[in-house]
Amino acid sequence: QAGSHPYFNLPDFTQPSPPSTPPSLPSHQRCQPSDATKGLLVALLGGGLPAGFVGPLSRMAYQASNLPSLELLVCRCLFHLPIALLLKLRGDPLLGPPDIRGRACLHALLNVLSIGCAYSAVQVVPAGNAATVRKGSSTVCSALLALCLESQGLSGYDWCGLLGSILGLIIIVGPGLGTLQEGTTGLYIALGYVLAFLGGLTLSLGLLVYRSLHFPSCLPTVAFLFGLVGLLGSVPGLFVLQTPVLPSDLLSWSCVGAVGILALVSFTCVSYAVTKAHPALVCAVLHSEVVVALILQYYMLYETVAPSDIMGAGVVLGSIAIITARNLSCEREGKVEE
């Protein structure tokens, strides 16, 4: 028969072929973000962006009711104290294990000093410039400390992004440093920049200390200790060095509440991120705070943003993109693929 001839044994193209489905990879071969990627993304979205609102809101509270910096620090520390309930529910000691309690308290003290210097600087220096100096010094100090104390180096791409980010910060703050006024006003502005630098230095030391803490409930413990140590140190200093002010307007209270919530979110995210990625890279990604602060400085505080600020912000964003793209990788079967 004709149908049995080999030339007539052809596939029937009149019938629709079943849809082809791509083979699915096993669960252990699927691509997942690496720890460094998770840390940098958390630092960018949860650490840098909320922190960019803290400086302008702190300045608004100061302009509205002359709220002292130490009083603002006291209000922020109050938002950390309810974490004690979480530690109690989990049955963990409030101050951490006895063998590392000293380091945990040192970490809290360094963070309190960093925040106190930042709040003091933002009252005499534009919010964007204060954030610029603080983040720049924290990045440089983190890279040097991690290299010297932990022998943890960086790749060429990371150094390129790191140096580019610092260059952007120099472009932002350089013209302001070159035109300091003479007399008392210029002295106060210079002191504000010094405080911002010290805030970055103590921040980098605090991050390095936190990387050495390894125990369950580490993150909520250090968050609670920050509030406790901050209250014990700032309340006496508030009555000795400054004059407490009770805000009477809704704007000041709103700014204080927003600062407390956003700062707590940023503190938690940065503490998590620094355990996943290099501290210098985390600090470099946190430079997004500077860009947010400059935008809010212009639209909320109606302060002038110079062309050098815009140029420096663009360089900072480009450097953050380099660092993030360099560290965007996935883990598959225990290997890291970029």
Side-chain angles (χ1 to χ4, degrees):
Q1 299 177 357
S4 61
H5 195 277
Y7 290 105
F8 292 96
N9 292 333
L10 299 174
D12 188 3
F13 293 102
T14 61
Q15 299 296 329
S17 59
S20 59
T21 58
S24 59
L25 292 174
S27 59
H28 65 278
Q29 291 185 358
R30 293 174 184 172
C31 185
Q32 296 180 352
S34 64
D35 286 343
T37 302
K38 294 177 183 178
L40 292 179
L41 291 178
V42 169
L44 176 63
L45 301 178
L49 297 184
F53 288 82
V54 172
L57 291 175
S58 303
R59 192 171 181 86
M60 288 180 63
Y62 175 73
Q63 292 176 350
S65 56
N66 290 326
L67 194 69
S69 58
L70 289 178
E71 185 172 352
L72 189 60
L73 179 59
V74 169
C75 296
R76 173 177 173 174
C77 292
L78 293 176
F79 283 86
H80 287 248
L81 295 184
I83 301 178
L85 299 177
L86 175 62
L87 294 173
K88 280 296 184 181
L89 291 176
R90 300 180 58 171
D92 298 323
L94 294 180
L95 304 181
D99 54 337
I100 57 176
R101 190 167 295 171
R103 280 182 292 163
C105 292
L106 175 62
H107 169 266
L109 178 61
L110 290 172
N111 274 276
V112 169
L113 292 175
S114 176
I115 299 302
C117 291
Y119 286 169
S120 300
V122 81
Q123 294 183 0
V124 294
V125 175
N129 290 3
T132 299
V133 174
R134 181 169 176 259
K135 292 305 177 184
S137 61
S138 66
T139 303
V140 175
C141 295
S142 295
L144 295 178
L145 289 173
L147 184 62
C148 297
L149 300 181
E150 295 184 347
S151 299
Q152 187 175 3
L154 295 170
S155 66
Y157 285 98
D158 292 334
W159 276 113
C160 179
L162 187 64
L163 295 177
S165 184
I166 296 173
L167 175 62
L169 300 181
I170 294 175
I171 293 175
I172 293 175
V173 78
L177 290 176
T179 58
L180 288 178
Q181 302 177 3
E182 297 182 358
T184 307
T185 303
L187 180 62
Y188 275 113
I189 295 177
L191 179 61
Y193 282 115
V194 171
L195 289 175
F197 174 82
L198 294 177
L201 175 61
T202 51
L203 174 62
S204 62
L205 290 173
L207 293 178
L208 193 65
V209 172
Y210 181 77
R211 286 170 62 88
S212 67
L213 303 177
H214 303 285
F215 63 94
S217 301
C218 178
L219 184 55
T221 300
V222 297
F224 168 74
L225 282 175
F226 173 85
L228 181 62
V229 174
L231 283 178
L232 294 177
S234 56
V235 170
L238 174 62
F239 288 93
V240 173
L241 302 176
Q242 298 176 344
T243 303
V245 175
L246 182 62
S248 58
D249 56 315
L250 181 61
L251 176 62
S252 299
W253 285 112
S254 302
C255 292
V256 170
V259 165
I261 295 174
L262 293 173
L264 178 59
V265 172
S266 178
F267 179 90
T268 305
C269 292
V270 172
S271 299
Y272 169 82
V274 79
T275 62
K276 302 295 182 181
H278 195 286
L281 298 181
V282 172
C283 291
V285 171
L286 290 177
H287 292 176
S288 56
E289 171 188 345
V290 177
V291 181
V292 177
L294 287 174
I295 295 174
L296 298 179
Q297 175 182 324
Y298 180 78
Y299 286 103
M300 292 178 57
L301 301 178
Y302 303 104
E303 296 179 353
T304 304
V305 176
S308 60
D309 297 336
I310 300 175
M311 185 185 306
V315 175
V316 168
L317 291 178
S319 302
I320 292 175
I322 292 175
I323 294 173
T324 306
R326 169 66 180 82
N327 289 273
L328 279 179
S329 56
C330 61
E331 294 178 348
R332 181 179 295 172
E333 292 185 341
K335 296 182 179 180
V336 177
E337 297 187 1
E338 295 180 1

